[in-house]
Amino acid sequence: MLATYRFGPQTGTPLLIVHGLFGSARNWGVLAKRFAVRRPVLTVDMRNHGASFHAASNGYEDMAADLAEVIAAHGGVADILGHSMGGKAAMVLALSRAAMVRRLIVADIAPVAYGHTQLPLAEAMRDLDLTGIERRSEADAALRPRVSDDTTRAFLLQSLDLKSAPPRWRLNLDVLADEMPRILSWPEIAGRHDGPVLFITGGASDYVRPEHRPVIRTLFPRARFVKIPGAGHWLHAERPRDFGSAIETWLDAK
């Protein structure tokens, strides 16, 4: 089963938080503890990420099945918050196993295929010579020529295990690179999810565009939309207070 971390009360319907590509449960620690004041919270490392198992495939049907296993082990039903890749996995779960998903929150992603690629980031990490690197600042300097954006580099380096001898990435970079076309795509899946769904997006992000709304409403008829002004794709990291408040307001609404 996926590496799973629990916060908050032992009773009640949990909120399961699902990270995006190259992320991990640890990226969501601060928000998980905030949400756990009112409800049990579960965070996971997705397959080929963090402390979870490595596998040869990284498709959305696989990831949805992984999440179903976690939910089954923690009461059989959950509210789910998924960001980016994790949001797609959560949507596939809701469409294929609706009874497991009470409320769904999708952060800055749509149920569509995307034309961009994150393959250069996977290749930059895979090509990085970790020999002799002892500090994160050294890894940062070595990665800078291939990844110029400071925020992106800092995010990627959270998955570098410097306590390992030698240092290693907590990512199965070979599989993630090979499976990038599937990660960027959207699987052929029938049906719709009639439960409440919140699509929360960054005002400065273009991942969820007006032309995506028809397909969103077809698959999720009860979809509602909230935008965080000034936030980009990593809206939970850039505007954590606004993001957390929007989530809590929607979860607490009757």
Side-chain angles (χ1 to χ4, degrees), residues 18-96:
V18 190
H19 67 77
L21 180 63
F22 304 139
S24 68
R26 66 188 299 178
N27 303 148
W28 289 84
V30 173
L31 279 167
K33 291 174 183 176
R34 171 177 174 169
F35 297 144
V37 172
R38 305 187 188 188
R39 55 183 56 84
V41 174
L42 304 170
T43 60
V44 293
D45 290 333
M46 296 295 276
R47 60 170 54 206
N48 296 314
H49 292 74
S52 282
F53 58 87
H54 287 188
S57 62
N58 212 84
Y60 286 109
E61 297 90 341
D62 303 315
M63 289 186 273
D66 295 339
L67 297 177
E69 187 177 18
V70 172
I71 294 171
H74 292 84
V77 64
D79 298 331
I80 305 182
L81 162 58
H83 172 248
S84 199
M85 180 190 78
K88 281 189 172 181
M91 285 189 280
V92 171
L93 176 65
L95 291 168
S96 58

Side-chain angles (χ1 to χ4, degrees), residues 213-225:
R213 292 210 177 189
V215 68
I216 289 173
R217 293 199 180 278
T218 297
L219 296 173
F220 305 101
R222 295 178 63 188
R224 296 292 180 268
F225 299 87

